[in-house]
């Protein structure tokens, strides 16, 4: 496991992301703009469904990506790069690791044609 801190500072704040940019069974990073600099989020795709979560692990508050926007996905789970907690893609529920039984905080979003629109 890579234990390095990733800041995500090179991820632009956007509200619309093309569905085609989110691979089925994969995850991408985004930043939801706000008056305080934005919130880092994760968008995952499971078939036709797209789910959003705050990019903050419930174990120690670290980002889940091992480098900005690069996530480990294994057997339908998003894996926290810091200490290996595993979260179900379709619910954010932690099934293994130091925060088992907790979950990622969901982010509201909508599908608008061929794009995902992040809500606030
Ligand atoms: S911060 Fe994610 S498992 Fe520790």
């Amino acid at each position: 496991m890579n234990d390095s801190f990733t800041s995500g500072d090179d991820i632009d704040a956007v509200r619309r992301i093309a569905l085609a940019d989110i691979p089925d069974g994969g995850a991408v990073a985004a930043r939801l703009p706000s008056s305080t600099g934005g919130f880092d989020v994760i968008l995952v795709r499971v078939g036709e469904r797209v789910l959003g979560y705050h990019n903050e692990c419930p174990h120690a508050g670290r980002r889940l990506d091992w480098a900005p926007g690069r996530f480990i996905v294994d057997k339908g789970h998003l894996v926290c790069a810091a200490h290996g907690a595993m979260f179900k893609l379709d619910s954010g529920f932690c099934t293994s690791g130091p925060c088992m039984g907790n979950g990622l905080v969901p982010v509201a979003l909508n599908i608008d044609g061929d794009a995902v629109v992040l809500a606030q």
Side-chain angles (χ1 to χ4, degrees):
M1 284 293 143
N2 184 322
D3 202 28
S4 65
F5 175 75
T6 57
S7 72
D9 285 344
D10 57 347
I11 297 171
D12 294 332
V14 295
R15 288 197 186 282
R16 291 181 68 89
I17 296 158
L19 273 174
D21 290 342
I22 309 170
D24 192 5
V28 300
R31 179 169 286 159
L32 178 62
S34 76
S35 61
T36 57
F39 299 100
D40 290 313
V41 301
I42 306 165
L43 299 175
V44 303
R45 186 166 176 178
V46 182
E48 296 303 310
R49 296 177 63 204
V50 176
L51 302 104
Y53 305 107
H54 283 269
N55 191 355
E56 183 177 332
C57 182
H59 171 227
R62 302 274 296 269
R63 294 173 59 94
L64 278 77
D65 34 358
W66 58 270
R70 306 294 298 267
F71 295 94
I72 302 166
V73 177
D74 184 35
K75 300 182 181 95
H77 287 75
L78 187 60
V79 182
C80 178
H83 310 110
M86 297 182 72
F87 302 89
K88 289 187 64 140
L89 286 179
D90 61 359
S91 67
F93 184 74
C94 181
T95 61
S96 174
C99 50
M100 190 165 64
N102 291 320
L104 300 173
V105 176
V107 172
L109 55 80
N110 297 301
I111 304 295
D112 179 20
D114 61 356
V116 178
V117 181
L118 295 167
Q120 251 186 330

